[in-house]
């Protein structure tokens, strides 16, 4: 029993000691944790204070009216462009629109610093306190700097004084176009920028990543309906003016027009209209209303197509490739109408000639019959001479009298079909020669398709193999 009691007492004492040790460990851990958090908070506060002192020291005595190295070496501004959206392109206004990240980098010795970080990443409020290049777009019509929800500007300062300044811009720039080869044309739309006030003796612009990588245009950034963006090239040039010599940085965006829309809306309808006009060559020349409708309808259709084709173009004073195509198609259609007029004219002329010939032959036959039926009793020299003279006088009168002014007794039974042909200019003549196909129609059925096919062959070979990329001046 005693042993049991001793063991129980020992166990109770051991439990009390364990609980005391546990509470001690808990207290020490809480104290150490609070001290660590306090140290971290203190370190953060010290870090922020150091950055604030660095910024204050950088701006102390800084004059943002003077460029870096004023009075000394030339300031070099390195640029590069990242295009986020390209398009649309307006042919009528001759301009294009794009969204870009425009980046500029330069070194300002006055902004060197030493501290716990290598790069100071700041917002747009710092921009107004330091010097920045006065870059402007020379061929820009309207440029917008985005301010939603805050000004979209990135500003960073490196320890060695290098500045990175990035802006998000929407630029509406001029794109001079020569539409001689429209719609198989291509254009190089320029973007020109440089310093507005500083000449080349003060500021020099260069491409940061070289001529090949300084302008980036991802494939998904192009949102063009009528063009394909096939690439871009960069260059630089110098411009002399009354105020000095300036450096101009230029980017050319090469655009090639898509032809699908114009094939569907203009070229194919013009070709079909010309083919329709040539169908009239296979209609009988006696069907005047049908062939007249064919000719007039196709001429009016070509007129409508030529007017509608000009709606999407500026009012240029020269002819485009599409204008030449439409003009040739219009000439073919109009020639088909003139061809029928010629067929009708010569057919009428031939009918009159045949009718005169038939009338003369009939009159001669009647005279011969009358001479044969003369009474045999009327003999003698005087009678014979008188009869011959009367016959000669009658022939002269018949030949000299107009066809339609001759008395009806001259033609006892004129052909009904010939009368209708002469009255209407369109009927089935009595002569089998006039009912056949006109020789003009026969030649037209061959010459018109061959000449139109040859024109199309030459036209498409010339323009599809020609380098139609127009470089802006």
């Amino acid at each position: 029993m005693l042993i049991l009691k001793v063991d129980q007492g020992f166990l109770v004492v051991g439990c009390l000691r364990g609980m005391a040790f546990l509470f001690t460990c808990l207290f020490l851990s809480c104290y150490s944790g609070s001290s660590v958090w306090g140290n971290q908070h203190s370190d953060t506060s010290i870090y922020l204070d150091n950055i604030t002192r660095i910024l204050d020291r950088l701006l102390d005595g800084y004059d943002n009216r003077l460029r870096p190295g004023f009075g000394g070496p030339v300031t070099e501004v390195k640029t590069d462009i990242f295009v986020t959206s390209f398009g649309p392109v307006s042919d009528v206004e001759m301009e294009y629109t794009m969204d870009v990240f425009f980046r500029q980098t330069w070194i300002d010795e006055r902004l060197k610093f030493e501290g716990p970080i290598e790069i100071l990443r700041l917002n747009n409020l710092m921009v107004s306190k330091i010097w920045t290049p006065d870059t402007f777009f020379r061929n820009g019509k309207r440029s917008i700097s985005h301010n939603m929800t805050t000004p979209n500007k990135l500003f960073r300062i490196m320890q060695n004084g290098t500045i990175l300044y990035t802006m998000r811009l929407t630029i509406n720039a001029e794109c001079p176009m020569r539409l001689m080869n429209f719609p198989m044309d291509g254009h190089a739309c320029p973007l020109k920028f440089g310093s507005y006030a500083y000449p080349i003796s003060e500021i020099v612009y260069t491409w940061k990543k070289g001529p090949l990588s300084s302008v980036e245009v991802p494939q998904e950034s192009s949102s063009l309906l009528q063009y394909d963006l096939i690439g871009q090239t960069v260059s630089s040039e110098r411009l002399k003016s009354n105020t000095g010599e300036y450096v101009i940085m230029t980017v050319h965006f090469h655009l090639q027009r898509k032809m699908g829309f114009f094939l569907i809306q203009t070229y194919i309808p013009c070709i079909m209209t010309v083919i329709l006009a040539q169908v009239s060559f296979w209609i009988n020349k006696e069907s005047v209303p049908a062939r007249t409708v064919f000719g007039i309808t196709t001429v009016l259709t070509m007129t409508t197509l030529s007017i509608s084709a000009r709606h999407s173009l500026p009012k240029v004073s020269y002819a485009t490739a599409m204008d030449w195509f439409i003009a040739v198609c219009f000439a073919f259609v109009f020639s088909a109408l003139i061809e029928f007029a010629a067929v009708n004219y010569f057919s009428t002329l031939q009918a009159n000639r045949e009718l005169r010939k038939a009338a003369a032959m009939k009159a001669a036959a009647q005279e011969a019959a009358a001479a044969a039926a003369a009474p045999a009793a009327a003999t003698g020299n005087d009678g014979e001479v008188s009869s011959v003279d009367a016959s000669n006088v009658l022939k002269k009168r018949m030949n000299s009298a107009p066809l339609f002014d001759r008395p009806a007794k001259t033609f006892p039974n004129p052909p009904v079909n010939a009368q209708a042909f002469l009255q209407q200019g369109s009927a089935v003549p009595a002569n089998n020669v006039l009912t056949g196909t006109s020789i003009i129609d026969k030649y037209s059925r061959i010459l018109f398709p061959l000449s139109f096919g040859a024109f199309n062959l030459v036209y498409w070979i010339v323009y599809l193999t020609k380098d139609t990329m127009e470089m802006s001046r």
Side-chain angles (χ1 to χ4, degrees), residues 15 76 109 114 152 167 186 244 271 293 305 324 347 364 385 404 468:
C15 289
E76 181 183 11
E109 299 285 346
E114 294 181 359
N152 298 169
M167 296 178 289
I271 293 173
V293 168
L305 288 173
W324 287 116
S347 297
V385 172
F404 298 102
T468 57

Side-chain angles (χ1 to χ4, degrees), residues 413-441:
N413 297 311
V416 179
N417 291 336
Q419 289 179 347
F421 187 88
L422 293 173
Q423 292 173 1
Q424 300 178 6
S426 168
V428 180
N431 198 319
N432 292 330
V433 177
L434 302 180
T435 58
T437 304
S438 171
I439 189 67
I440 300 177
D441 280 340

Side-chain angles (χ1 to χ4, degrees), residues 351-366:
N352 289 336
R353 189 182 301 113
E354 292 293 331
L355 196 57
R356 288 195 193 98
K357 185 177 180 181
M361 291 176 63
K362 190 170 184 178
Q366 289 178 352

Side-chain angles (χ1 to χ4, degrees), residues 31-50:
Y31 176 77
S32 62
S34 63
S35 62
V36 170
W37 181 83
N39 290 335
Q40 290 179 351
H41 180 70
S42 177
D43 292 343
T44 302
S45 179
I46 294 172
Y47 178 79
L48 293 177
D49 291 340
N50 290 337

Side-chain angles (χ1 to χ4, degrees), residues 124-163:
N124 61 291
L125 297 177
M126 187 68 178
V127 176
S128 60
K129 298 179 181 180
I130 70 166
W131 179 90
T132 55
D134 59 341
T135 306
F136 82 109
F137 296 96
R138 287 185 171 270
N139 64 325
K141 291 185 175 181
R142 294 177 298 275
S143 298
I144 301 173
S145 179
H146 294 266
N147 295 317
M148 294 298 294
T149 56
T150 59
N152 298 169
K153 298 179 180 180
L154 181 147
F155 188 78
R156 293 177 180 176
I157 304 176
M158 286 70 168
Q159 283 189 347
N160 62 351
T162 301
I163 310 298

